[in-house]
Amino acid sequence: MPIAFPFSAIVGQDEMKQSLLVAAVDPTIGGVLVFGDRGTGKSTAIRGLAALLPKMRAVLGCAYSCDPAADAGALCAECRERANKGGVPKTHSVPVPVVDLPLGATEDRVIGALDLERALTQGEKAFEPGLLARAHRGFLYIDEVNLLEDHLVDALLDVAASGENLVEREGLSLRHPARFVLVGSGNPEEGELRPQLLDRFGLSVEVKTPGDLPTRVKVVRLRDEFERDPAAFVAKWKRKDGKIRHQLESARKALSTVEVPDLALEQAAMLCMALGTDGLRGELTLIRASRALAALEGATVVGITHLRRVSAPALRHRLRRDPLDESGSTVRVQRAVEELFPA
Amino acid sequence: MTPSTTPGIETLISPWDDVALAAALFAVDPAGTGGVALRALAGPVRDHWLALARGLLPTECPRLKIPLHVSVSRLLGGMDLAATLQSGRPVAERGLLAQADGGMVELSMAERLEGATTAYLTAVLDAGEVVLERDGIAARTASRFGVIALDEGVGEDEQLPAPLLDRLAFHLDLSRFAMRDLPKEAPWGTGEVLAARARLGNVKIADEMVETLCGAALALGIASIRGSLLAIRIARAAAALAGRDQVIEEDVAVAARLVLAPRATRLPAGEPSPEEEEPDQPGEDEEPPEQPDEDGQGDEDTGGEDRPLEEMVLEAAQAAMPRDMLDRLRQGAARRARSRSPGKAGALQQASLRGRPIGARRGDPGPGVRLNVVETLRAAAPWQVIRRREQPAGDRVKRVEVRRDDFRVTRFKHRAETTTIFAVDASGSSALHRLAEAKGAIELLLASCYVRRDRVALIAFRGQSAELLLPPTRSLVRAKRSLASLPGGGGTPLAAGIDVSLLLADAVQRRGGTPTIVLLTDGRANVARDGQGGRARASEEALVAARLVRAADIRALLVDTSPHPQPKARELAEAMGATYLPLPYADARVLSSAVQAATG
């Protein structure tokens, strides 16, 4: 795999970086959608994040990298059986999977299918896990997500909601856990996203090409330096990347202890009401994202600053569309935040 | 050859030299340059340039051609069926993009490239590897190559897909050259290219030059930051080709002419704009401790003594722009930028199949039902052991025995996509109002219908002709941008409006979609097809055009926009076989719900 551009060397694009980190701290937030101009480093950021994620413990030899600490419901059939018998699995430390779902992928590779090789050579009926299995406990990344073929979107929607992949094909009948953070990127000019898919993303980020010269020069210079000697460049930024990795690790540990005061819950509800977002998912995401942000910054209590900063990514894709309102959804969220909680 | 157009550059360079230089720079670093968008009709000039580019590329580099109809499995790779059946185990086949590593691919008729194919290609260009997850095969193959995208487009509407164009350093237009203009000998040989390849890694570029190129890109209205990045790579390659280890002004000028000029969306303002001298943004990332010191002060210098260099670069870029482009930019760049968004080939259409695959079923292949090879193999696989045992001992053992029962076919759910074509009478005084409402209706429809994956297009007719303002699109963002400014006023060339709508409807049908024409007019035609005035003839022609719509059996809705319902409009609706809907005060919401009701 080619060397990834270091996450910490990405200039600007603070909302995108913050959202990716927030989603990495709390996978239940439901992933990030990054939509925006061409050449703004959308996939660069995601590959950079993959490179700095802390490792995780997984059951040795398990095709789904089951979590040895998980309860039986979240385990694959094999690991569950062992757990039920009271066995203690051997574990090892593995990188968090960041799995690419490339355009042009076929359904059998995404969902998993009959292992053709074993079937042809040994006449055995075995399951060959697909991308959804590989992404379990990690990230599933779809570049140009708005160009993804419909039947793959269908397969994805169900799994992303249930955290479980149900396979019924070629005489195979099985289920395995598939909990992953969905990360998508795309350019809105190439087409819209199906609302059901949009809804699966916890956070949505809009990225724009920086318009000011100093930032642009900095972006170009760093990129140029990286291209000329990727290994040296990565080494140079190792410490900064390490700092972020450390920040992620401590945030994950601290997450459950971060306090969410009633005031924050109230404020989140007020904001969602003012914006007329449907359902409770908006509120829930807002709270979870605020808590993850607080954890990232080492705060012990969620405050209004956290809420303010995650409100746009948590809510902008949940507003009812009113195309006759020229101001975009970002502006609408910001306006509501300013009115309710003036700085 | 045209020294008068290149003031301020020391060395006067003729346009063909620049085009040839692009071929040489491409050969020096095919993957780094991304490649070349080559706009030219097929012919000796294009062949000449291609021969030059291919010839300069070192012999061991692969040179592949990719036809427009390439299948996904050939492009990216997949299962090698022959080898699989032969050996009795799945064998992967390398796709063209993986084979191209280290060399170049030539895309024929790239202006007609489909959204999906473009996306596969750009994904490989960005990642430097082919990520394959197809037909039971998962593989990652590193592959870096340059693209020569042959663009035979005519006119502004036919262009390379924007995502591809953005990644190619050179946008060359060969249409202004004739064979007799071309020199017999190329100024560079493979020797120079090889030497430049060896030198390229060590070529240095001063920070002020990087700043200059970024500043010039901004001044020329080049939004994508890839433009600046590519310009720097080209400046480096130019220095390497000239045998230098350091980028000098001349190389920066080459980058300005070849990379920045064709991307310009506006002419630089006479004076430096205030934003350009703004200090560093607050809230910027803190500098990393390992970062060399010059960063902070470098930003401050931008306004000062770099100015002359930047001026020189801008002049070089401007001098490289053809006359018509300069004129267009002077009139305002919006139009050009707009037509650069993905063309009519737009969003995803599966390469060779229509509708949505609804899985593989047991059955025989036939028209409209295709054999799904991999699924067929999967079905046959579990039985192989038994079938081998059943084979009479004397026979030659078949590696894989596939029986008719194993056949699996892919079926496609054919839900034709609806395209609603708004044809709006933009004549006279109420034109702006009608257009504004049509625009509002389009946006509402896009917002509410995109669930059903429908498209919307807009045609306006006024004065002497009809114009396609918004090609069929599903993107609200794109529609908004296209509809930002709308022309109005003048006569009513109703027949022309209906003709253009019918043409578009026909094109939609041929792509497998279902068109609906929504005609907004008061039915009072007064301009005939040839642009001449005259109410009687114009009306007659409009009726003839309308009958063609009926004959083509295209669903239509006629919205009568006049304050009092007009018999003429009703007559026209009947001729078209259209639903007649008098809506004197149609606003965007009423209109969109009427259209939704009519199109179901």
Side-chain angles (χ1 to χ4, degrees):
Chain A
M1 209 171 148
I3 298 179
F5 188 82
F7 189 78
S8 51
I10 294 168
V11 181
Q13 310 293 9
D14 293 330
E15 197 190 70
M16 170 167 72
K17 288 190 286 191
Q18 178 196 292
S19 298
L20 286 171
L21 291 176
V22 160
V25 168
D26 184 357
T28 63
I29 289 170
V32 187
L33 173 70
V34 185
F35 245 32
D37 296 339
R38 275 181 270 281
T40 38
K42 294 174 294 237
S43 20
T44 307
I46 290 142
R47 296 189 198 293
L49 179 72
L52 64 67
L53 288 170
K55 293 197 165 183
M56 63 182 196
R57 302 290 311 167
V59 174
L60 191 68
C62 173
Y64 309 97
S65 309
C66 277
D67 182 358
D71 46 286
L75 294 175
C76 72
E78 209 176 303
C79 292
R80 196 181 319 134
E81 205 176 310
R82 188 190 304 113
N84 287 343
K85 284 183 189 155
V88 179
K90 282 196 178 125
T91 66
H92 60 161
S93 179
V94 293
V96 171
V98 176
V99 175
D100 267 298
L101 198 169
L103 292 179
T106 51
E107 216 173 84
D108 61 320
R109 285 302 308 145
V110 176
I111 298 170
L114 182 72
D115 186 331
L116 201 51
E117 170 134 28
R118 277 168 74 181
L120 281 176
T121 54
Q122 297 155 37
E124 272 174 35
K125 194 163 90 178
F127 178 64
E128 188 184 15
L131 296 177
L132 295 177
R134 281 222 324 261
H136 180 48
R137 302 184 62 206
F139 292 70
L140 184 70
Y141 174 49
I142 315 168
D143 193 11
E144 308 283 358
V145 60
N146 42 349
L147 297 181
L148 194 66
E149 281 161 51
D150 259 354
H151 61 119
L152 292 182
V153 173
D154 295 345
L156 209 60
L157 285 176
D158 195 32
V159 179
S162 64
E164 188 175 57
N165 183 26
L166 192 62
V167 185
E168 293 289 353
R169 47 185 287 160
E170 295 138 5
L172 294 165
S173 176
L174 62 101
R175 56 179 67 202
H176 68 77
R179 283 174 212 282
F180 47 81
V181 175
L182 195 61
V183 179
S185 63
N187 180 341
E189 282 191 28
E190 322 275 325
E192 308 275 337
L193 214 58
R194 254 161 78 187
Q196 296 87 339
L197 184 56
L198 194 62
D199 184 61
R200 292 290 186 275
F201 291 98
L203 307 174
S204 97
V205 182
E206 284 168 10
V207 285
K208 285 201 167 59
T209 314
D212 65 300
L213 187 58
T215 311
R216 288 175 71 112
V217 170
K218 208 160 141 191
V219 171
V220 169
R221 232 191 236 152
L222 290 176
R223 186 80 219 178
D224 185 53
E225 196 189 331
F226 168 74
E227 279 170 10
R228 299 182 59 68
D229 191 349
F233 189 79
V234 169
K236 193 165 144 189
W237 288 82
K238 208 173 156 195
R239 255 181 52 204
K240 283 222 131 193
D241 259 16
K243 233 163 115 183
I244 298 180
R245 181 184 300 122
H246 185 69
Q247 201 188 352
L248 261 178
E249 270 172 321
S250 6
R252 278 186 182 163
K253 280 193 200 112
L255 187 65
S256 56
T257 62
V258 174
E259 189 195 334
V260 186
D262 288 346
L263 181 64
L265 293 174
E266 249 169 62
Q267 284 165 330
M270 270 162 71
L271 184 58
C272 289
M273 245 150 48
L275 286 164
T277 55
D278 301 327
L280 278 170
R281 284 192 28 96
E283 266 176 72
L284 210 57
T285 311
L286 201 54
I287 291 295
R288 282 181 179 160
S290 308
R291 189 172 53 193
L293 183 62
L296 268 172
E297 298 188 339
T300 51
V301 183
V302 170
I304 186 70
T305 53
H306 303 121
L307 200 70
R308 283 173 70 102
R309 277 156 61 207
V310 298
S311 55
L315 298 179
R316 67 157 66 86
H317 58 304
R318 300 178 199 279
L319 304 191
R320 251 194 224 111
R321 289 157 81 90
D322 184 0
L324 298 186
D325 184 352
E326 280 300 321
S327 55
S329 39
T330 307
V331 179
R332 279 163 67 196
V333 175
Q334 277 163 354
R335 222 190 278 144
V337 169
E338 290 309 322
E339 274 168 24
L340 288 171
F341 322 113
Chain B
M1 280 165 217
T2 45
S4 58
T5 57
T6 52
I9 310 178
E10 298 291 305
T11 40
L12 292 175
I13 289 179
S14 70
W16 179 263
D17 284 351
D18 260 4
V19 169
L21 178 59
L25 294 172
F26 174 75
V28 170
D29 186 12
T33 62
V36 184
L38 195 65
R39 195 169 173 90
L41 293 176
V45 177
R46 191 177 84 177
D47 292 346
H48 187 83
W49 189 90
L50 284 172
L52 183 68
R54 288 188 207 120
L56 285 172
L57 203 65
T59 27
E60 69 277 11
C61 299
R63 299 159 172 77
L64 297 175
K65 287 189 186 181
I66 297 183
L68 190 61
H69 59 256
V70 65
S71 69
V72 189
S73 59
R74 274 307 292 143
L75 195 67
L76 300 175
M79 178 176 286
D80 183 335
L81 186 61
T84 300
L85 291 175
Q86 181 69 38
S87 67
R89 62 170 61 229
V91 178
E93 173 191 38
R94 268 192 347 145
L96 290 167
L97 296 185
Q99 286 170 20
D101 187 24
M104 60 176 254
V105 298
E106 244 176 74
L107 294 173
S108 27
M109 299 182 69
E111 79 281 2
R112 304 193 49 88
L113 211 58
E114 282 172 350
T117 317
T118 309
Y120 302 147
L121 189 64
T122 53
V124 177
L125 285 176
D126 288 356
E129 60 173 349
V130 182
V131 183
L132 183 69
E133 294 288 351
R134 291 185 61 77
D135 302 342
I137 289 164
R140 301 181 91 106
T141 322
S143 182
R144 284 170 45 79
F145 52 84
V147 174
I148 293 182
L150 303 179
D151 171 4
E152 294 183 31
V154 179
E156 287 266 305
D157 287 346
E158 276 183 312
Q159 291 225 12
L160 293 187
L164 182 61
L165 210 49
D166 189 43
R167 288 165 170 89
L168 307 181
F170 305 112
H171 302 170
L172 306 179
D173 188 347
L174 299 189
S175 56
R176 60 207 155 103
F177 297 106
M179 204 54 200
R180 61 176 179 281
D181 299 340
L182 311 186
K184 290 278 170 295
E185 305 232 332
W188 298 274
T190 32
E192 279 98 337
V193 168
L194 284 172
R197 282 181 160 229
R199 191 175 287 115
L200 184 64
N202 298 319
V203 176
K204 308 236 169 347
I205 181 165
D207 285 335
E208 52 153 7
M209 304 239 175
V210 174
E211 271 158 36
T212 302
L213 280 170
C214 289
L218 208 55
L220 292 167
I222 302 169
S224 171
I225 216 149
R226 282 206 188 95
S228 310
L229 261 172
L230 288 169
I232 285 158
R233 289 196 204 145
I234 296 312
R236 272 220 177 86
L241 189 65
R244 282 187 282 273
D245 287 328
Q246 178 81 36
V247 171
I248 64 166
E249 285 178 18
E250 207 178 301
D251 308 318
V252 172
V254 166
R257 294 199 307 270
L258 284 172
V259 183
L260 298 184
R263 289 176 151 76
T265 63
R266 65 161 184 256
L267 291 178
E271 284 143 2
S273 60
E275 309 91 23
E276 278 174 45
E277 269 150 78
E278 235 170 24
D280 220 327
Q281 295 276 85
E284 269 283 278
D285 277 8
E286 43 171 320
E287 300 297 325
E290 304 91 336
Q291 182 80 346
D293 47 351
E294 86 298 319
D295 221 299
Q297 50 187 113
D299 296 345
E300 279 154 41
D301 299 340
T302 9
E305 60 274 18
D306 291 346
R307 202 45 65 189
L309 180 61
E310 180 159 337
E311 264 165 37
M312 186 278 282
V313 166
L314 285 174
E315 269 171 25
Q318 234 165 297
M321 293 177 198
R323 181 74 34 216
D324 55 332
M325 181 173 170
L326 278 172
D327 291 344
R328 207 166 40 220
L329 294 183
R330 272 191 199 107
Q331 284 158 14
R335 195 137 258 278
R336 182 186 166 82
R338 201 191 296 162
S339 61
R340 287 206 164 207
S341 44
K344 271 156 273 180
L348 181 82
Q349 281 261 338
Q350 275 115 342
S352 53
L353 40 94
R354 282 179 185 160
R356 172 172 102 84
I358 47 170
R361 305 271 164 95
R362 177 178 301 209
D364 289 336
V369 238
R370 194 129 21 102
L371 184 70
N372 186 324
V373 176
V374 173
E375 296 303 330
T376 302
L377 274 179
R378 280 218 169 83
W383 305 101
Q384 293 308 309
V385 178
I386 300 172
R387 286 179 191 169
R388 256 173 240 151
R389 243 178 260 147
E390 283 173 0
Q391 282 174 21
D395 284 15
R396 215 177 128 255
V397 178
K398 285 186 197 157
R399 307 273 181 161
V400 180
E401 192 181 327
V402 177
R403 294 182 185 170
R404 191 175 176 155
D405 268 3
D406 305 326
F407 283 176
R408 294 290 183 275
V409 292
T410 307
R411 290 202 298 198
F412 300 100
K413 189 169 159 190
H414 194 96
R415 201 196 73 77
E417 181 181 66
T418 331
T419 301
T420 308
I421 301 165
F422 282 87
V424 182
D425 182 348
S427 65
S429 54
S430 61
L432 284 179
H433 172 69
R434 269 199 299 263
L435 270 170
E437 294 306 349
K439 175 189 157 188
I442 285 174
E443 290 178 0
L444 274 174
L445 277 175
L446 275 176
S448 61
C449 298
Y450 72 132
V451 189
R452 299 177 353 217
R453 319 222 92 186
D454 293 345
R455 290 164 187 263
V456 177
L458 176 67
I459 290 164
F461 52 97
R462 67 184 191 103
Q464 295 180 344
S465 60
E467 190 190 355
L468 178 63
L469 290 181
L470 176 69
T473 182
R474 195 183 282 149
S475 164
L476 188 59
V477 180
R478 193 166 167 228
K480 280 195 178 207
R481 184 173 307 165
S482 271
L483 301 178
S485 66
L486 290 168
T492 311
L494 190 49
I498 299 176
D499 286 346
V500 173
S501 313
L502 186 58
L503 266 177
L504 183 59
D506 188 46
V508 168
Q509 260 179 344
R510 270 184 285 132
R511 293 173 61 97
T514 309
T516 301
I517 297 175
V518 178
L519 182 62
L520 273 77
T521 180
D522 54 9
R524 282 182 291 194
N526 59 15
V527 177
R529 279 199 180 107
D530 57 6
Q532 299 293 312
R535 211 167 269 285
R537 194 154 68 90
S539 292
E540 190 46 46
E541 280 186 10
L543 281 173
V544 172
R547 279 184 210 113
L548 289 177
V549 174
R550 177 177 217 148
D553 203 18
I554 286 166
R555 191 154 55 172
L557 174 71
L558 190 142
V559 179
D560 187 347
T561 51
S562 52
H564 305 289
Q566 292 287 314
K568 277 243 189 266
R570 185 180 284 276
E571 194 186 333
L572 193 68
E574 272 165 25
M576 274 174 91
T579 313
Y580 175 74
L581 187 70
L583 272 182
Y585 307 106
D587 72 9
R589 284 178 203 277
V590 175
L591 195 56
S592 85
S593 51
V595 171
Q596 262 182 306
T599 57

